[in-house]
Amino acid sequence: MGFGSYDESEQKDQSANVDEDAGVNVHENDHEGEVALEGGDDTDALVDALSDMKDSDDD
C-alpha cells in the first residue's frame, strides 16, 4: 500500500443518521423593515470622512 491508499470496501454503503426536523430554519428571523442611518442623507460628509481616513493611512 502506497501513500494515500485506502481500503475501498470501507467507502461503500456509508450512511448517516440525520434528523431532518432538527435542522436550522433560515427563515425563522425574517423581517421586512427599513434601515436608517444616523446623519440622514449627508453623503458628502461621509465621503469626506472616508477620504480623510484613506489619506491618514498613506502616512
Side-chain angles (χ1 to χ4, degrees), residues 27-45:
H27 300 288
E28 181 178 342
N29 295 315
D30 282 353
H31 62 89
E32 297 202 14
E34 296 180 11
V35 175
L37 300 175
E38 290 183 21
D41 294 327
D42 197 7
T43 305
D44 292 332

Side-chain angles (χ1 to χ4, degrees), residues 2-58:
F3 177 76
S5 62
Y6 60 91
D7 184 1
E8 290 183 15
S9 65
E10 295 177 4
Q11 301 300 317
K12 64 179 180 178
D13 298 328
Q14 290 186 353
S15 62
N17 295 332
V18 178
D19 183 7
E20 293 181 10
D21 294 330
V24 175
N25 181 359
V26 296
H27 300 288
E28 181 178 342
N29 295 315
D30 282 353
H31 62 89
E32 297 202 14
E34 296 180 11
V35 175
L37 300 175
E38 290 183 21
D41 294 327
D42 197 7
T43 305
D44 292 332
L46 293 174
V47 171
D48 290 342
L50 177 61
S51 296
D52 291 343
M53 285 186 246
K54 285 184 177 182
D55 290 342
S56 67
D57 286 343
D58 291 340

